[in-house]
Amino acid sequence: GAMWRGAAAGLLCLAAAWLLGRGFEPRARLLYAAELRRYRGAPGEPGLYLALLGRVFDVERGRKHYGPGGAYSGLAGRDATRAFASGDFTPAGLVDDVAGLSPPELLSIHRWLSFYRDNYEPVGKLVGRFYDENGAPTEALREVEAAIEEALKFQAENEQKKQQFPPCNSEWSSAKGTRFWCSRQSGGVHRDWAGVPRKLFSPGWQGSRCVCVRSSGPPWGQPHSQHSDRGDLDDPHLQQYEGCPPLAEQCVLLT
């Protein structure tokens, strides 16, 4: 009946929107580097474009930033993906080679890409490192997208960890040394427990950092565990501060 037809039409719209989102925009041009270089917004040039991960955007609306004399004019007319991560606007930094970037730098590229998608008109694709002559993604693009995916997963896991082990409050004074303490919002994590300070050692971190640890109830992620009413105190990555009572909510280390 009519309802089914409506649903089918809706699905078709969704499919069309998905195709559009996948870069099959009717005006998705394929540009070569030499052509893109003509789009630096100078008088007599056809416009003002930049590319990020091979995707080309019309940044005319941001002319005061990207046009001649603007703070980011170095990004115009080329793919300078690396500079979005490194902040290096010298000729050596204004390149599209993203080899060896760290997860936070990849996340920075990801945020910039979202920013351009949300604020500027996509024009098409740059043939070269990230797209081939047919506009198909290259191996290099697949690799960097997989690395960004990994970085996003890592970030989500870190957020999870922060919920489990929120950072302590700390203050230092020459007279008293360092004071660590836990509250229900320390580390910017609002929760219904304060916890007790512990040193957390985690893979990939140098040294330890002070976190607040739940000291009652079942361990994190095991809500039905009857075994222990010690919260996360028994987590193997934690260590007590010497000279602090094990369940004190604050701890003073003399320096």
Side-chain angles (χ1 to χ4, degrees):
M3 201 172 139
W4 186 88
R5 272 202 303 281
L11 278 175
L12 279 174
C13 281
L14 271 178
W18 184 79
L19 281 175
L20 287 174
R22 299 300 291 175
F24 290 82
E25 312 92 357
R27 45 180 307 224
R29 289 162 50 193
L30 290 180
L31 289 92
Y32 285 82
E35 192 182 349
L36 183 58
R37 268 200 297 278
R38 296 172 41 230
Y39 286 82
R40 290 192 191 146
E45 290 187 345
L48 184 55
Y49 292 175
L50 64 73
L52 182 57
L53 281 186
R55 294 164 179 79
V56 183
F57 295 93
D58 182 338
V59 292
E60 184 60 54
R61 286 223 313 269
R63 170 171 282 277
K64 66 172 189 287
H65 306 295
Y66 304 108
Y72 296 113
S73 58
L75 300 171
R78 58 156 61 101
D79 186 328
T81 296
R82 195 178 189 87
F84 286 93
S86 68
D88 175 359
F89 289 94
T90 67
L94 291 167
V95 293
D96 62 1
D97 176 11
V98 291
L101 290 180
S102 66
E105 289 173 323
L106 290 166
L107 289 175
S108 168
I109 289 174
H110 179 259
R111 281 193 298 274
W112 277 108
L113 193 53
S114 305
F115 168 80
Y116 286 108
R117 279 198 188 122
D118 294 343
N119 294 285
Y120 292 102
E121 200 56 44
V123 174
K125 296 175 182 155
L126 178 65
V127 177
R129 187 182 294 274
F130 301 115
Y131 290 98
D132 67 16
E133 298 79 64
N134 305 312
T138 60
E139 195 49 45
L141 181 59
R142 286 210 183 83
E143 274 172 26
V144 67
E145 285 183 337
I148 286 173
E149 206 56 41
E150 275 302 295
L152 286 165
K153 273 215 310 255
F154 183 69
Q155 187 185 41
E157 281 161 20
N158 274 352
E159 273 309 304
Q160 273 286 296
K161 264 274 176 265
K162 207 174 147 185
Q163 300 295 320
Q164 180 182 6
F165 294 132
C168 304
N169 296 315
S170 68
E171 67 181 10
W172 178 86
S173 77
S174 53
K176 296 199 184 93
T178 307
R179 177 168 85 99
F180 293 118
W181 75 102
C182 291
S183 67
R184 291 182 169 208
Q185 59 266 347
S186 65
V189 179
H190 294 263
R191 54 196 189 273
D192 54 11
W193 50 275
V196 297
R198 285 290 186 276
K199 291 184 213 177
L200 174 66
F201 294 86
S202 45
W205 282 78
Q206 292 299 308
S208 67
R209 52 207 161 112
C210 181
V211 297
C212 295
V213 180
R214 237 177 358 103
S215 53
S216 64
W220 179 266
Q222 305 170 35
H224 308 301
S225 163
Q226 317 293 293
H227 295 306
S228 112
D229 183 28
R230 286 172 51 79
D232 288 312
L233 287 177
D234 300 321
D235 187 290
H237 297 106
L238 298 172
Q239 217 178 328
Q240 278 186 43
Y241 282 100
E242 278 165 42
C244 278
L247 293 178
E249 283 190 4
Q250 73 161 341
C251 182
V252 178
L253 301 180
L254 298 167
T255 35

